[in-house]
Amino acid sequence: MTTPRVPPGGRRDVGVVNWLACRVAGLVAGTGPPNLFLTLARRRGLFRGWLWFAGRLMPGGSLPRRETELVILRVAHLRDCRYEFDHHVRIAGRSGVRKRDVERVKDGPSAEGWTPRERAILAAADGLHADRDLDDATWTRLRAHLTEGECVELTMLVAHYEMLATVITTLRVQPDRPRHP
């Protein structure tokens, strides 16, 4: 286990408002205040702006939560970001993602059992991860299932979780401890 490059902040470091937001996030995730949140909250205003933006993608996005969680898990898997993967496994079950889905997401869009829409969304996540773009065939399959607006949101969702994986990895954010083992 590596040492965090920026340790999670305490109440004094992050401020009372951010501390409370971190505590609530931990309650939702079934952990203490998430280390990622307590690390990002060291930049108080940036954290609040990020939290608002991130909340517009998840849980406040227009894509179904199950699909959102599948995309997040796929990006976390592709980036080998254990922190993000484990965090979202804990919350994905409330969105209809089952244990077998979590295992299948590791195999990607070609795994058996995905709906055509899920397959198109996961293929888009793979393309955005690998190429930072989508080829015309992937875009056409995606548009068969998603509106233009949903495509914009999906692209931003994938890019956002790619960014988070970079931050988590670079800052060496440590795993969260489950609240109840």
Side-chain angles (χ1 to χ4, degrees):
M1 189 94 100
T2 60
T3 302
R5 289 182 167 162
V6 177
R11 190 178 340 187
R12 275 189 178 178
D13 303 310
V14 304
V16 173
V17 172
N18 289 346
W19 178 257
L20 291 172
C22 293
R23 303 240 344 143
V24 168
L27 290 172
V28 170
T31 65
N35 288 328
L36 174 63
F37 282 34
L38 289 172
T39 302
L40 297 180
R42 286 180 164 278
R43 298 296 298 166
R44 295 175 186 196
L46 181 61
F47 172 69
R48 286 190 299 272
W50 168 76
L51 202 56
W52 185 86
F53 170 77
R56 296 297 297 154
L57 291 170
M58 195 290 291
S62 64
L63 295 172
R65 280 294 305 279
R66 173 182 162 76
E67 293 172 2
T68 298
E69 290 298 337
L70 291 173
V71 167
I72 294 167
L73 290 169
R74 183 64 181 161
V75 170
H77 173 71
L78 292 170
R79 288 296 308 268
D80 195 26
C81 186
R82 195 83 231 158
Y83 180 97
E84 199 63 52
F85 193 86
D86 291 347
H87 178 77
H88 279 275
V89 164
R90 283 192 294 271
I91 61 177
R94 293 180 291 227
S95 303
V97 177
R98 303 293 170 237
K99 287 182 181 181
R100 69 181 178 275
D101 298 322
V102 171
E103 291 308 311
R104 280 189 305 141
V105 84
K106 295 174 187 177
D107 294 330
S110 62
E112 290 296 319
W114 299 124
T115 68
R117 179 179 164 110
E118 290 168 342
R119 190 176 308 281
I121 288 168
L122 291 170
D126 281 17
L128 290 167
H129 169 77
D131 303 324
R132 307 293 184 251
D133 194 6
L134 295 179
D135 60 37
D136 290 339
T138 303
W139 180 258
T140 299
R141 281 192 305 277
L142 191 62
R143 283 291 287 128
H145 301 283
L146 274 65
T147 66
E148 287 177 344
E150 289 172 327
C151 288
V152 169
E153 184 175 328
L154 176 67
T155 304
M156 291 183 74
L157 178 71
V158 171
H160 177 251
Y161 280 89
E162 287 275 352
M163 181 225 28
L164 276 181
T166 299
V167 170
I168 290 163
T169 301
T170 302
L171 298 181
R172 311 292 194 261
V173 176
Q174 300 300 297
D176 298 322
R177 291 190 179 106
R179 194 172 47 246
H180 303 290

